């Protein structure tokens, strides 16, 4: 309670809140928001969303609700998640078509980033709510309307400069409106680029495009085509241990880059281009009836490069054996006691860039010395090939999707009732494989598993594909693994809404079917009978019910309540054990059970808008899976858990007060308890065999906090609309109760074996670290000029004003315990951290005709 009071006190003393709308890091004044809706803000977290959990920064909420809007605009930089829920609990649709990825459940916001002008028109509802598009989720729903006849007519062009993920952006959009001949057209495009972003070694290059064409066939029928995509390449940065940050002298230390021939090069490059096309038929037989049907498809490539090596030293500069702490191991028996070597490494880290970053030139040098002869190359007896066998390579991991589907929704409204029915059927194939990106001066890479070579006498066990043994891989070749994850899904939903003078009621039902399976193209040497061809098909029937009520105390005060109960199939991405090598499923797969409820008090008066909410949500019977080197078993393992439950409870409060015609005060506060709520069962499987190392290991995870996000957040302040089209504001935000994501295996009887509760190692293993809270100060100013029907606008936005990027005490936005740990000294493999950017700016000039 003390921390909550302290958070509110700091915000109140600041006396600040520039409620601003950040749209792709662009500010929009609050009064404009009533007519114009904000869009996706691209952050490094969003770019990495395919590999990491998403947060609200990928869902800048466009809502008249003050809390939802502020959480989307002001809290996203801290990786805040509304009600603590993951992104897969919020259903996002475009023109009514659900676009959440079928493999992981997340909405792929990066697929339409940079298209602000056409994606800003968004409906948003948080939590369980009636929806005219689909059943929705417990996190809520959003719909982006890009129908050309509904977009603003005219031409808009803008240029933006910033110092965040990218440095520059140019964007232009033209919309014809509905012409007399019944045609409407929309064209939009943008280009964003940075030779180097906020974090050293990162870069960004993205071209976004949009085409919308609508034909009004007659008064009842219209046909619309929508196509869009983003061709994006960016150099990444990741989490790091505190020791590496201290040695490098920055909390934004990035181990992914180094110098090659005097030029910076990033080993972790994202390459993403997944266009989306929709063909929609709008049927309006009368003023009370709508029937919308859409055929849609998505396809393209999603790649991420990384280093790989064979029979060579680990090239990652922050590998634990290359840090000074390895030579000052303390209680750990894993390191070496060599203070002189520790001092030498400390000096090198602080003075030599090739020590603290990737030494690309050394990798090329190593490859240039490794002359090697491969016998029976390409599976041909007697075919001997001699050349430079690469010890180090850059490989690209690909996940290329193909998704097709049909979505149809029918609704009819009478005087007090609206009933909606709809359904959709979808198929998604994710083709996952590796491509040789760069041999780094070598002639070929031999496609074998070096860990299998070490562990097995049989030479066939090391072959990635027994159908192509001793495969010599050259640049552009597919190697290592290749398989499809196939998912089919069909769903029907129905909803009935009643609007009365005192009461408003709604109820909905949903029935769905999902199945998924793996298909392998390689016959892996470790699993020759269980890698090629189709796996078994996992099949799930799932359903949901929801309902809500609104009681109108009077015209300005009302109370609402919402509740839902549903089942879901397990998340496909986490349902397989090592899908790279075999057709095997995580033990204990079952449907997830989800329920949620909230009670709300609203005020809608001329000078006051207010909402106070209490909520609860639970997600049960989830699966959890990771792959890592296990210290106890001295091998790479697949660690999977079933029966993982989460519980989310808390309160939300938001108020907007019109203090004068020009001055608006806004305050927002939320706090919750987001915890693990079960004691799941863990299974540990050796990665390169079917050997079960552990079964039914009990994990004492109940009441541990879900990490990686603040569970308390507050904002307080003002917006001032000055004469002559000046608007400015300042925002003070507080974030607290953020925890390091816990490693489940440290909370087992086996981890604490031979220890007693008085041992210091006991608490070190069990306790969960709470991160320091923090305060941010943001501001914006906007000026516009109108002349001859045109609009020229300039807006400047400064985020985290008080935090200098050179400050080593920034706000931690994410942290996790490493899966590998030492029972005697958990700090030997310490947690890894990520920090909020320091002070950044965004300046935009736009012109509208």
């Amino acid at each position: 309670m003390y921390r909550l009071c302290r958070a509110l006190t700091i915000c109140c003393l600041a006396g600040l809140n520039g409620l601003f709308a950040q749209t792709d890091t662009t500010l929009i004044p609050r009064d404009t928001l009533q007519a114009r809706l904000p869009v996706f803000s691209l952050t490094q977290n969003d770019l990495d969303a395919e590999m990491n959990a998403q947060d609200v920064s990928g869902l800048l909420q466009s809502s008249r609700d003050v809390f939802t809007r502020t959480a989307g605009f002001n809290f996203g930089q801290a990786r805040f998640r509304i009600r603590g829920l993951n992104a897969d609990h919020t259903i996002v649709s475009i023109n009514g078509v659900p676009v959440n990825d079928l493999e992981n459940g997340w909405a792929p916001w990066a697929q339409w980033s940079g298209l602000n002008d056409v994606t800003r028109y968004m409906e948003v509802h948080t939590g369980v709510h009636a929806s005219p598009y689909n059943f929705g989720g417990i996190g809520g729903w959003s719909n982006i309307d890009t129908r050309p006849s509904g977009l603003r007519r005219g031409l808009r062009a803008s240029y933006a400069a910033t110092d965040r993920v990218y440095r520059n952006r140019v964007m232009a959009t033209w919309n014809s409106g509905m012409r007399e001949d019944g045609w409407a057209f929309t064209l939009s495009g943008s280009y964003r680029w940075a030779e180097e972003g906020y974090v050293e070694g990162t870069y960004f290059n993205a071209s976004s495009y949009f085409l919308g064409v609508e034909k009004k066939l007659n008064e009842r029928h219209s046909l619309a085509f929508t196509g869009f995509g983003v061709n994006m390449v960016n150099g990444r940065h990741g989490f790091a241990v505190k020791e590496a940050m201290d040695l490098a002298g920055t909390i934004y230390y990035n181990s992914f880059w180094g110098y090659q021939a005097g030029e910076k090069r990033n080993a972790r490059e994202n390459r993403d281009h997944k266009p989306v096309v929709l063909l929609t038929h709008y049927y309006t037989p009368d003023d009370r009836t709508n029937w919308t049907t859409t055929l849609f498809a998505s396809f393209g490539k999603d790649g991420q490069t990384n280093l790989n090596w064979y029979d060579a030293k680990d090239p990652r500069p922050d590998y634990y054996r290359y840090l000074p702490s390895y030579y000052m191991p303390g209680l750990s028996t894993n390191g070496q006691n060599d203070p002189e070597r520790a001092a030498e490494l400390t000096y090198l880290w602080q003075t030599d860039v090739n020590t603290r970053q990737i030494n690309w030139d050394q990798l090329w040098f190593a490859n240039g010395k490794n002359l090697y002869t491969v016998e029976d190359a390409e599976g041909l007896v007697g075919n001997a090939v001699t050349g430079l066998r690469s010890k180090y390579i850059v490989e690209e991991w690909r996940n290329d999707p193909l998704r097709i589907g049909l979505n149809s929704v029918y609704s009819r409204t009478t005087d007090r009732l609206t009933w909606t029915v709809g359904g959709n059927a979808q198929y998604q194939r994710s083709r996952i494989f590796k491509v040789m990106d760069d041999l780094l001066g070598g002639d070929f890479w031999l496609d074998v598993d070096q860990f299998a070579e070490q562990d097995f006498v049989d030479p066939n066990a090391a072959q990635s594909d027994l159908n192509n043994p001793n495969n010599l891989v050259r640049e552009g070749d597919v190697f290592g693994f290749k398989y499809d994850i196939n998912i089919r899904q069909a769903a029907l939903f129905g909803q009935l809404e009643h609007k009365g003078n005192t009461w408003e009621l709604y109820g909905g039902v949903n029935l769905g079917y999902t199945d998924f399976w793996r298909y392998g193209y390689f016959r892996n040497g470790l699993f020759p009978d269980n890698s090629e061809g189709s796996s078994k098909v996992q099949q799930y029937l799932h359903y949901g019910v929801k309902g809500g009520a609104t009681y109108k105390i009077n015209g300005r005060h009302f109370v609402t309540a919402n509740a839902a109960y549903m089942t879901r199939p397990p998340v496909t991405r986490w349902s397989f054990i090592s899908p790279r090598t075999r057709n095997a499923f995580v033990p204990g797969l079952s449907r997830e059970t989800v329920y949620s409820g909230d009670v709300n008090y609203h005020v809608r008066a001329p000078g006051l808008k207010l909402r106070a909410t209490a909520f609860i949500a639970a997600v049960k019977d989830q699966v959890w899976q990771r792959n890592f080197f296990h210290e106890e078993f001295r091998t790479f393992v697949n660690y999977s858990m079933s029966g993982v439950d989460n519980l989310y409870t808390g309160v939300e409060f938001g108020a907007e007060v019109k203090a004068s015609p020009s001055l608006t005060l806004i305050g927002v506060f939320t706090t919750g308890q987001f915890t693990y709520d079960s004691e799941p069962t863990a299974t540990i499987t050796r990665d390169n065999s079917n050997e079960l190392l552990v079964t039914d290991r009990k994990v004492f995870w109940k009441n541990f906090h879900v990490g990686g996000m603040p569970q308390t957040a507050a904002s307080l302040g003002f917006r001032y609309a000055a004469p002559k089209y000046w608007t400015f504001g300042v925002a003070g935000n507080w974030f607290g109760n953020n925890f390091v994501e816990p490693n489940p295996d440290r909370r087992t009887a086996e981890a604490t074996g031979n220890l007693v509760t008085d041992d210091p190692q006991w608490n070190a293993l069990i306790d969960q670290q709470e991160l320091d809270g923090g305060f941010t100060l943001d501001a914006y100013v906007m000026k516009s000029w109108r002349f001859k029907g045109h609009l020229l606008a300039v807006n400047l936005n400064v985020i985290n004003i008080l935090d200098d990027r050179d400050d080593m005490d920034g706000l931690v936005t994410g942290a996790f315990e490493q899966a590998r740990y030492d029972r005697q000294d958990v700090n030997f493999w310490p947690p890894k951290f990520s920090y909020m950017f320091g002070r950044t700016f965004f300046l935009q000039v736009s012109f509208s005709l």
Side-chain angles (χ1 to χ4, degrees):
M1 191 65 190
Y2 165 76
R3 291 189 179 96
L4 303 184
C5 295
R6 181 171 176 245
L8 289 175
T9 301
I10 289 177
C11 290
C12 292
L13 289 176
L16 301 170
N17 181 6
L19 247 294
F20 59 84
Q22 185 179 344
T23 69
D24 194 23
T25 62
T26 304
L27 295 175
I28 292 179
R30 283 291 178 246
D31 45 8
T32 308
L33 278 169
Q34 301 304 319
R36 222 171 62 175
L37 303 179
V39 298
F40 166 71
S41 175
L42 192 64
T43 69
Q44 181 67 38
N45 296 325
D46 300 312
L47 297 175
D48 293 347
E50 296 294 329
M51 307 302 293
N52 301 289
Q54 286 185 326
D55 52 73
V56 76
S57 60
L59 182 60
L60 286 185
Q61 307 285 7
S62 57
S63 172
R64 294 178 183 269
D65 176 74
V66 60
F67 176 85
T68 305
R69 195 172 64 226
T70 304
F73 302 151
N74 296 8
F75 296 166
Q77 58 188 323
R79 302 186 70 181
F80 175 82
R81 299 202 295 266
I82 292 180
R83 302 187 182 180
L85 295 168
N86 287 331
D88 58 326
H89 292 288
T90 299
I91 306 302
V92 177
S93 58
I94 296 179
N95 298 342
V97 175
V99 293
N100 294 62
D101 186 87
L102 297 186
E103 187 182 349
N104 58 34
W106 302 335
W109 291 91
Q111 279 187 257
W112 54 87
S113 64
L115 297 172
N116 306 36
D117 291 340
V118 292
T119 60
R120 69 176 73 253
Y121 301 98
M122 190 191 313
E123 295 177 74
V124 173
H125 287 279
T126 298
V128 178
H129 201 277
S131 169
Y133 307 105
N134 47 63
F135 185 73
I138 63 171
W141 59 267
S142 301
N143 181 66
I144 302 170
D145 184 3
T146 64
R147 187 175 179 178
S149 61
L151 299 179
R152 180 179 178 273
R153 183 197 301 260
L155 175 67
R156 184 177 188 271
S158 65
Y159 169 76
T162 180
D163 60 350
R164 300 174 185 173
V165 175
Y166 57 85
R167 299 283 182 172
N168 303 275
R169 187 198 69 192
V170 291
M171 182 165 59
T173 301
W174 172 76
N175 182 261
S176 69
M178 183 56 71
R179 307 192 313 182
E180 291 183 1
D181 60 1
W183 287 92
F185 301 92
T186 303
L187 291 171
S188 185
S190 74
Y191 179 55
R192 294 163 291 161
W193 73 97
E195 293 185 4
E196 186 165 70
Y198 186 88
V199 176
E200 189 174 12
T202 64
Y203 49 87
F204 190 89
N205 192 300
S207 301
S208 305
Y209 54 89
F210 177 95
L211 171 64
V213 180
E214 182 178 353
K215 172 61 176 175
K216 185 177 181 181
L217 303 176
N218 54 46
E219 292 302 318
R220 296 183 178 181
H221 296 270
S222 291
L223 196 64
F225 169 83
T226 301
F228 59 87
V230 180
N231 190 356
M232 178 165 52
V233 176
N234 71 286
R236 297 177 56 211
H237 74 276
F239 289 68
V241 298
K242 197 66 170 64
E243 180 184 7
M245 295 177 182
D246 292 339
L247 290 167
T250 174
I251 56 177
Y252 306 109
Y253 169 69
N254 180 16
S255 66
F256 295 165
W257 71 274
Y259 283 102
Q260 179 177 315
E263 300 289 333
K264 290 181 179 178
R265 180 176 181 178
N266 194 311
R268 298 283 189 96
E269 183 176 89
N270 279 351
R271 303 165 179 175
D272 189 281
H273 187 203
K274 300 190 289 285
V276 178
V277 293
L278 305 95
L279 183 63
T280 304
H281 174 240
Y282 299 96
Y283 176 45
T284 310
D286 55 57
D287 293 341
R288 297 187 172 191
T289 307
N290 291 283
W291 190 357
T292 304
T293 302
T294 301
L295 180 67
F296 61 94
S298 178
F299 51 90
K301 62 170 288 186
D302 187 350
Q304 177 177 287
T305 64
N306 200 359
L307 284 168
N308 197 357
W309 56 97
Y310 175 89
D311 190 27
K313 292 177 58 178
D314 194 317
R316 297 171 297 177
D318 59 345
Y319 180 53
Y320 76 99
R321 290 174 180 256
Y322 303 159
L323 295 173
S325 60
Y326 179 76
Y327 296 93
M328 297 183 297
L331 296 175
S332 176
T333 58
N334 286 285
Q336 300 179 22
N337 188 12
D338 189 345
E340 292 184 2
R341 178 57 178 161
E344 180 186 10
L345 277 175
T346 299
Y347 175 78
L348 289 172
W349 262 83
Q350 294 172 344
T351 59
D352 180 21
V353 67
N354 287 322
T355 296
R356 64 177 178 268
Q357 304 297 154
I358 298 170
N359 191 339
W360 289 98
D361 294 338
Q362 181 60 38
L363 306 187
W364 276 73
F365 177 76
N367 287 347
K369 297 194 306 178
N370 193 32
L371 192 65
Y372 190 88
T373 299
V374 180
E375 303 292 344
D376 300 333
E378 315 290 353
L380 302 176
V381 177
N383 181 31
V385 176
T386 300
L388 295 176
R389 179 182 178 182
S390 290
K391 287 177 170 288
Y392 297 98
I393 60 169
V394 177
E395 59 187 17
E396 182 182 14
W397 285 47
R398 294 277 289 277
N399 186 336
D400 292 359
L402 171 64
R403 182 177 180 180
I404 57 174
L406 180 68
N407 189 79
S408 188
V409 178
Y410 178 91
S411 66
R412 180 167 177 79
T413 301
T414 61
D415 291 338
R416 293 186 178 274
L417 293 177
T418 299
W419 57 277
T420 305
V421 294
N424 70 76
Q426 303 183 62
Y427 166 74
Q428 178 174 313
R429 184 209 68 199
S430 299
R431 178 155 294 172
I432 302 168
F433 55 97
K434 286 200 301 186
V435 176
M436 180 60 67
D437 187 72
D438 192 344
L439 287 165
L440 299 179
D443 295 324
F444 59 82
W445 170 268
L446 186 59
D447 193 10
V448 294
D449 182 341
Q450 63 176 316
F451 298 104
E453 283 184 325
Q454 297 168 9
D455 295 343
F456 296 91
V457 176
D458 183 1
N460 287 329
Q463 297 295 332
S464 296
D465 185 8
L466 290 172
N467 297 329
N468 187 16
N470 293 335
N471 180 30
L472 302 185
V473 184
R474 296 174 175 86
E475 291 175 4
D477 290 350
V478 175
F479 72 107
F481 53 82
K482 181 181 178 181
Y483 62 94
D484 292 343
I485 298 296
N486 300 276
I487 309 167
R488 296 180 298 199
Q489 189 175 92
L492 297 171
F493 83 96
Q495 180 179 274
L496 182 64
E497 300 173 76
H498 168 76
K499 296 186 182 295
N501 294 328
T502 303
W503 287 91
E504 293 185 6
L505 306 170
Y506 76 89
V509 295
N510 178 67
L511 180 64
Y513 170 82
T514 300
D515 64 25
F516 55 85
W517 70 98
R518 176 190 183 273
Y519 184 90
Y521 292 93
F522 284 8
R523 185 168 169 245
N524 187 274
L526 291 168
F527 307 95
D529 301 321
N530 192 33
S531 52
E532 188 178 25
S534 290
S535 69
K536 294 180 180 179
V537 179
Q538 293 286 329
Q539 299 175 309
Y540 297 92
L541 188 67
H542 41 95
Y543 59 90
V545 294
K546 67 176 182 179
T550 299
Y551 174 67
K552 303 171 186 177
I553 301 172
N554 55 41
R556 297 178 177 178
H557 300 259
F558 55 99
V559 177
T560 64
N562 305 278
Y565 177 89
M566 64 185 75
T567 60
R568 309 194 312 170
V571 178
T572 305
R573 173 163 291 182
W574 310 124
S575 297
F576 294 89
I577 294 178
S578 189
R580 306 181 317 279
T581 58
R582 58 193 184 269
N583 293 324
F585 293 96
V586 170
L589 279 183
S590 65
R591 293 183 306 187
E592 297 179 5
T593 301
V594 179
Y595 66 79
S596 178
D598 58 58
V599 179
N600 312 269
Y601 171 65
H602 302 262
V603 178
R604 291 290 182 267
L608 174 65
K609 295 179 181 179
L610 180 149
R611 173 170 69 86
T613 297
F615 64 85
I616 184 172
V619 185
K620 297 181 175 294
D621 300 319
Q622 301 169 96
V623 293
W624 186 102
Q625 204 231 15
R626 299 292 185 272
N627 175 273
F628 60 94
F629 187 90
H630 200 287
E631 196 63 24
E632 177 184 352
F633 301 110
R634 307 302 298 172
T635 187
F636 281 95
V637 302
N638 298 289
Y639 194 105
S640 60
M641 295 190 298
S642 58
V644 178
D645 298 350
N646 293 107
L647 181 64
Y648 309 89
T649 60
V651 295
E652 298 168 342
F653 175 84
E656 183 175 274
V657 180
K658 196 76 171 176
S660 73
S662 300
L663 180 63
T664 302
L665 306 177
I666 302 173
V668 163
F669 172 75
T670 182
T671 187
Q673 289 285 328
F674 311 145
T675 60
Y676 293 101
D677 196 46
S678 64
E679 295 178 347
T681 299
T683 300
I684 306 177
T685 308
R686 189 183 296 273
D687 188 58
N688 59 7
S689 77
N690 286 318
E691 180 185 357
L692 286 173
L693 299 171
V694 169
T695 60
D696 299 327
R697 174 174 287 188
K698 190 174 184 178
V699 178
F700 297 94
W701 232 11
K702 189 177 178 67
N703 295 325
F704 281 88
H705 294 271
V706 178
M709 60 179 167
Q711 301 191 13
T712 297
S715 183
L716 181 67
F718 71 91
R719 180 193 75 248
Y720 185 75
K724 299 183 179 181
Y725 303 105
W726 281 94
T727 303
F728 64 88
V730 183
N733 312 296
W734 170 265
F735 306 100
N737 298 110
N738 195 350
F739 295 85
V740 176
E741 179 65 16
N743 172 3
D745 201 54
R746 281 173 49 178
R747 281 80 189 181
T748 62
E750 289 75 8
T752 57
N754 301 323
L755 295 176
V756 296
T757 56
D758 292 336
D759 290 335
Q761 295 95 327
W762 178 280
N763 288 334
L765 278 169
I766 300 299
D767 290 348
Q768 184 179 14
Q769 181 182 350
E770 181 176 357
L771 303 169
D772 293 336
F775 176 78
T776 64
L777 182 65
D778 312 324
Y780 82 94
V781 61
M782 178 176 179
K783 169 64 176 174
S784 60
W785 298 266
R786 290 188 180 275
F787 55 95
K788 297 182 180 181
H790 306 321
L791 176 67
L792 176 65
V794 178
N795 49 291
L796 173 65
N797 159 1
V798 184
I799 300 294
N800 202 8
I801 296 172
L802 303 179
D803 191 2
D804 191 322
R805 67 171 295 150
D806 296 327
D807 186 356
M808 292 296 290
D809 295 320
L811 179 63
V812 177
T813 57
F816 63 90
E817 296 173 354
Q818 295 192 61
R820 190 176 185 181
Y821 67 96
D822 187 324
R823 293 175 64 248
Q824 298 301 319
D825 184 0
V826 295
N827 290 321
F828 188 79
W829 285 288
K832 291 192 172 185
F833 299 90
S834 177
Y835 284 80
M836 180 188 295
F837 286 176
R839 182 171 55 251
T840 59
F841 77 94
F842 183 91
L843 175 66
Q844 176 180 266
V845 179
S846 62
F847 183 71
S848 300
L849 297 177

